[in-house]
Amino acid sequence: MEFEDYFKYFDSSLRLAMVPRFKWSQRSAEEDLYPTFRRAFFLLGSFCLAYQCIGVIIDWSIYGRKAADTQSFVAEISEATGALMLVAVGFFNICVLSNRRPEIEILLTDLRELYPRPRDRNYRQQYYFQMANGLMKFEFIYFWMFTMYYNIAPLVVMMYEYQMDGMEMRYKTQINTWYPWNVYGSAIGYGAGHFATLIACIEGVAFSLGTHNIISIITYQLKLHFDAISNQLLKLDSRHPGANQELRRLIAYHSHVIQIADDFNEIMNCSFLGGLFFSTTALCMTSVAIVLLDLKSAIKCINGLIAFIVYNFVICFLGTEFTLAVDSCDS
């Protein structure tokens, strides 16, 4: 397989976010037929996501903090904090991936130049490709299913209550966000709020997936090279006339890969730290909200809790894989 094969799910996520794919020296830029529309969609989604960070806080300040008893107050603030972390992690990943894009593309150029030929037996290309691709495929399917549920569920519940129970439609967005227009009880206001949530959700999930995908790609590329260096060192025969020259080549190769790993670690440190902070906070506060809220309200939070469990696990897993790869090569 080729180096470009690793980018199937990464490119798909960026395409859904209306962002041009990443490129390197040997990769041509994709044809962009609607640049103005894509740019407008990206800016609108980013703005809606940034606004929701503020809107959740305002909504809690107006409604949530007026709870009558301590249990309701704790439940409200826990639910609001979980919702805030949900939108904050998406906006954070947009900032990281957008600002660090040029540096990441330089790393991808280096990795593309180091990528082995298909028949080189020192590299376990198929194994590491399957590991990286399997993880990205699982995340891609799960988080877009989460996005569909997150945005469709309120509409289904509202229609079900109206059709089956004859209840008056209660227009309420999935995430508790304050808008400068009337959302509750207004079909037009609800539609505008739901659209803002939908477009923000697409941008947030796409960039969160993109961040995980690029971490997964580079991590397994580094593991591929570290594994190859170890194999070549084990096969090195000191009695061979060219052993000294081969050792020098392997030392230079190892130094180059280590430098890429250090640069990657420096670039993505803030992503690891921010992702762990937001997801851990959300896990704690959402768990409290589920325990204290009534069943119907708790069900709304369960999907977000599961999403953050997966998000937190993937960050920790990839961080461990990266650390083990560097340590194994150094030892």
Side-chain angles (χ1 to χ4, degrees):
M1 70 281 307
E2 299 296 331
F3 183 69
E4 289 79 3
D5 294 337
Y6 281 84
F7 291 82
K8 174 184 176 182
Y9 295 105
F10 180 60
D11 289 345
S12 297
S13 295
L14 294 184
R15 197 172 294 116
L16 288 167
M18 298 295 174
V19 176
R21 69 182 186 180
F22 279 42
K23 58 181 183 294
W24 47 88
S25 58
Q26 299 179 12
R27 193 188 203 194
S28 59
E30 63 180 343
E31 186 179 4
D32 193 353
L33 300 177
Y34 308 101
T36 304
F37 171 75
R38 293 179 64 165
R39 182 65 176 171
F41 185 94
F42 167 70
L43 291 175
L44 180 60
S46 301
F47 172 78
C48 290
L49 201 59
Y51 174 78
Q52 283 190 351
C53 294
I54 302 171
V56 170
I57 298 174
I58 297 175
D59 183 84
W60 178 82
S61 300
I62 296 175
Y63 304 107
R65 69 185 184 89
K66 296 179 180 179
D69 55 272
T70 304
Q71 180 173 328
S72 300
F73 179 82
V74 174
E76 289 287 346
I77 195 172
S78 299
E79 184 182 11
T81 304
L84 178 62
M85 295 300 104
L86 189 65
V87 295
V89 74
F91 185 71
F92 176 77
N93 282 312
I94 289 177
C95 295
V96 170
L97 215 56
S98 299
N99 293 333
R100 295 289 193 167
R101 177 169 181 149
E103 299 166 76
I104 295 173
E105 289 180 338
I106 292 173
L107 290 184
L108 293 178
T109 300
D110 285 345
L111 288 172
R112 178 64 185 88
E113 293 173 354
L114 290 175
Y115 194 74
R117 297 175 180 177
R119 295 185 179 180
D120 196 328
R121 296 184 178 180
N122 291 314
Y123 297 86
R124 294 193 292 167
Q125 297 183 50
Q126 184 67 30
Y127 171 74
Y128 287 112
F129 172 76
Q130 289 178 346
M131 290 288 289
N133 198 60
L135 179 60
M136 290 188 289
K137 181 179 180 180
F138 163 74
E139 277 202 288
F140 187 86
I141 293 173
Y142 172 75
F143 278 106
W144 285 115
M145 287 180 63
F146 162 77
T147 304
M148 290 177 61
Y149 166 82
Y150 190 82
N151 290 284
I152 293 175
L155 298 175
V156 174
V157 171
M158 183 173 62
M159 295 303 298
Y160 177 81
E161 289 179 346
Y162 179 75
Q163 294 293 333
M164 302 301 294
D165 301 332
M167 298 174 61
E168 182 181 354
M169 288 190 181
R170 295 177 297 169
Y171 300 102
K172 186 176 181 181
T173 54
Q174 172 81 339
I175 189 168
N176 297 331
T177 305
W178 179 85
Y179 291 101
W181 60 82
N182 186 27
V183 174
Y184 305 107
S186 168
I188 297 177
Y190 174 79
H194 191 271
F195 174 76
T197 301
L198 174 63
I199 192 173
C201 191
I202 291 174
E203 286 294 322
V205 170
F207 272 88
S208 297
L209 272 176
T211 303
H212 278 191
N213 289 164
I214 201 65
I215 292 172
S216 179
I217 290 168
I218 296 180
T219 295
Y220 283 105
Q221 281 293 297
L222 292 173
K223 285 176 70 69
L224 172 72
H225 291 293
F226 288 141
D227 185 46
I229 292 170
S230 300
N231 291 336
Q232 292 177 69
L233 284 172
L234 289 174
K235 294 177 182 178
L236 189 63
D237 187 356
S238 60
R239 297 170 295 180
H240 193 276
N244 188 36
Q245 184 177 357
E246 179 67 11
L247 182 60
R248 288 176 181 272
R249 184 190 70 82
L250 288 175
I251 291 173
Y253 178 25
H254 177 265
S255 299
H256 191 182
V257 177
I258 285 293
Q259 184 60 52
I260 293 175
D262 287 341
D263 292 342
F264 170 66
N265 192 45
E266 182 180 351
I267 291 170
M268 301 308 294
N269 249 344
C270 58
S271 178
F272 279 114
L273 179 62
L276 284 174
F277 171 77
F278 290 127
S279 58
T280 303
T281 304
L283 283 174
C284 296
M285 301 305 288
T286 306
S287 300
V288 173
I290 290 174
V291 172
L292 297 177
L293 289 171
D294 60 278
L295 180 61
K296 188 175 180 180
S297 300
I299 290 175
K300 188 179 78 171
C301 300
I302 288 175
N303 194 40
L305 178 65
I306 297 173
F308 272 114
I309 290 174
V310 174
Y311 188 91
N312 201 304
F313 170 78
V314 172
I315 290 178
C316 295
F317 176 75
L318 289 175
T320 303
E321 286 281 274
F322 175 76
T323 304
L324 290 176
V326 176
D327 289 346
S328 64
C329 190
D330 289 341
S331 60

